[in-house]
Amino acid sequence: SEVLRLEQSRRTGVLFPLQKLARYLAPGVDTERFRLFQPGLDALYRAEGLFRSDRGHTIDYVSSAVRMDHAPPSNLPEVCFIGRSNVGKSSLIRALFSLSPEVEVRVSKTPGHTKKMNFFKVGKYFTLVDMPGYGYHAPKDFVEMVEAYLQERPNLKRTFLLVDGLVGLQKTDHIGVEMLEEFGIPYVMVLTKIDRASRGVLLKNVLEIQDYVKEKAHGCFPQLFLVSSLEFSGVHLLRCFVAHVTGNLPTVE
């Protein structure tokens, strides 16, 4: 309701930051991949309800695991979030669950704070998994842990690969891309920390990643998702996409 009271330009920037960015492209540039997933306000509102706990709908941390035999049962649709250390993964998950402040998502300024797979159950609808970060600060058994999860989790519906919006796709990010491509896992790229990047830098990174996805990726959803955990830009749309890919918004195309 607060977002709906914003003036049109500001509201678009909060709900659809990629569409607002598209306004600064040169005339004639193809922007189809900027609006492939464009739900209406009703769908955004319904998705928000899934992330708000109440007496009949509990959202809670379930458990952590370093091996698949320690993971909770896979009886719900599942999404997981991966990315290099310090990309803002835990901050984004906390923003997604901000309507349920009782859900404890630990956020640290120290890169590589997440050492285990952390499972969060969203009522009877889906499970969200916070994966350890890859790169220099990755836990020693990162590859074994994450590869086993990606290959063995039958209810995994989509993997969200987080990339720092300020620096764009780095060599270390290719670890995640190559792993997902090798296993044929459907995924989507999310650019984090967009509030820290200038419009020019952000647009440059968006176009470079879109070109990379178009030329070299096979399992990646063509549209990028831009988010700011600080300003909440893009968080509503990402909630809606999570609800959609887990089968909880069947009417959204």
Side-chain angles (χ1 to χ4, degrees):
S1 60
E2 290 180 14
V3 172
L4 293 179
R5 288 195 292 268
L6 297 173
E7 56 90 15
Q8 181 63 37
S9 177
R10 175 65 176 145
R11 185 169 70 186
T12 301
V14 172
L15 295 178
F16 306 105
L18 190 60
Q19 290 181 32
K20 185 174 182 180
L21 196 64
R23 298 173 183 172
Y24 302 98
L25 287 168
V29 175
D30 183 12
T31 60
E32 181 182 359
R33 287 177 291 165
F34 281 64
R35 46 186 165 76
L36 293 173
F37 184 73
Q38 191 175 351
L41 293 177
D42 179 64
L44 291 167
Y45 182 76
R46 284 187 288 132
E48 187 173 273
L50 293 176
F51 287 85
R52 182 188 295 110
S53 61
D54 55 38
R55 193 165 67 177
H57 175 57
T58 302
I59 302 174
D60 202 6
Y61 161 79
V62 178
S63 64
S64 298
V66 293
R67 298 199 311 268
M68 285 306 298
D69 54 357
H70 292 167
S74 57
N75 51 8
L76 289 174
E78 201 159 272
V79 294
C80 76
F81 284 66
I82 68 171
R84 63 184 180 86
S85 301
N86 205 32
V87 75
K89 180 165 44 63
S90 296
S91 295
L92 175 56
I93 293 173
R94 185 167 65 175
L96 291 171
F97 288 139
S98 60
L99 297 168
S100 303
E102 72 279 3
V103 180
E104 184 180 359
V105 182
R106 295 182 180 180
V107 177
S108 174
K109 293 183 179 179
T110 305
H113 177 74
T114 304
K115 299 294 186 184
K116 302 177 181 179
M117 300 179 287
N118 298 316
F119 294 79
F120 298 87
K121 187 177 179 182
V122 182
K124 60 183 180 181
Y125 298 100
F126 63 90
T127 302
L128 187 151
V129 188
D130 182 6
M131 305 295 283
Y134 52 75
Y136 180 74
H137 296 280
K140 293 181 179 179
D141 54 352
F142 169 84
V143 173
E144 292 82 359
M145 185 193 314
V146 177
E147 283 191 356
Y149 171 85
L150 294 174
Q151 289 182 296
E152 298 175 18
R153 204 67 171 172
N155 55 329
L156 179 62
K157 299 302 181 182
R158 195 67 54 109
T159 295
F160 292 80
L161 177 64
L162 275 54
V163 177
D164 192 321
L166 187 60
V167 298
L169 199 65
Q170 301 291 294
K171 288 183 179 180
T172 49
D173 293 315
H174 290 208
I175 298 172
V177 172
E178 290 168 4
M179 189 161 48
L180 293 167
E181 290 286 343
E182 179 183 352
F183 299 145
I185 305 295
Y187 64 103
V188 59
M189 287 197 191
V190 180
L191 267 65
T192 62
K193 306 179 184 180
I194 63 171
D195 53 282
R196 298 187 183 183
S198 68
R199 190 169 62 212
V201 167
L202 191 57
L203 194 52
K204 171 179 173 291
N205 289 334
V206 165
L207 294 175
E208 286 181 353
I209 293 174
Q210 283 196 333
D211 287 343
Y212 175 86
V213 169
K214 186 176 181 179
E215 294 174 8
K216 299 184 179 180
H218 301 284
C220 186
F221 187 64
Q223 177 180 319
L224 302 178
F225 287 79
L226 274 58
V227 294
S228 165
S229 301
L230 183 64
E231 298 179 349
F232 277 79
S233 300
V235 171
H236 301 81
L237 185 63
L238 193 60
R239 284 179 183 146
C240 197
F241 192 72
V242 169
H244 173 56
V245 297
T246 55
N248 293 297
L249 283 181
T251 59
V252 177
E253 293 185 1

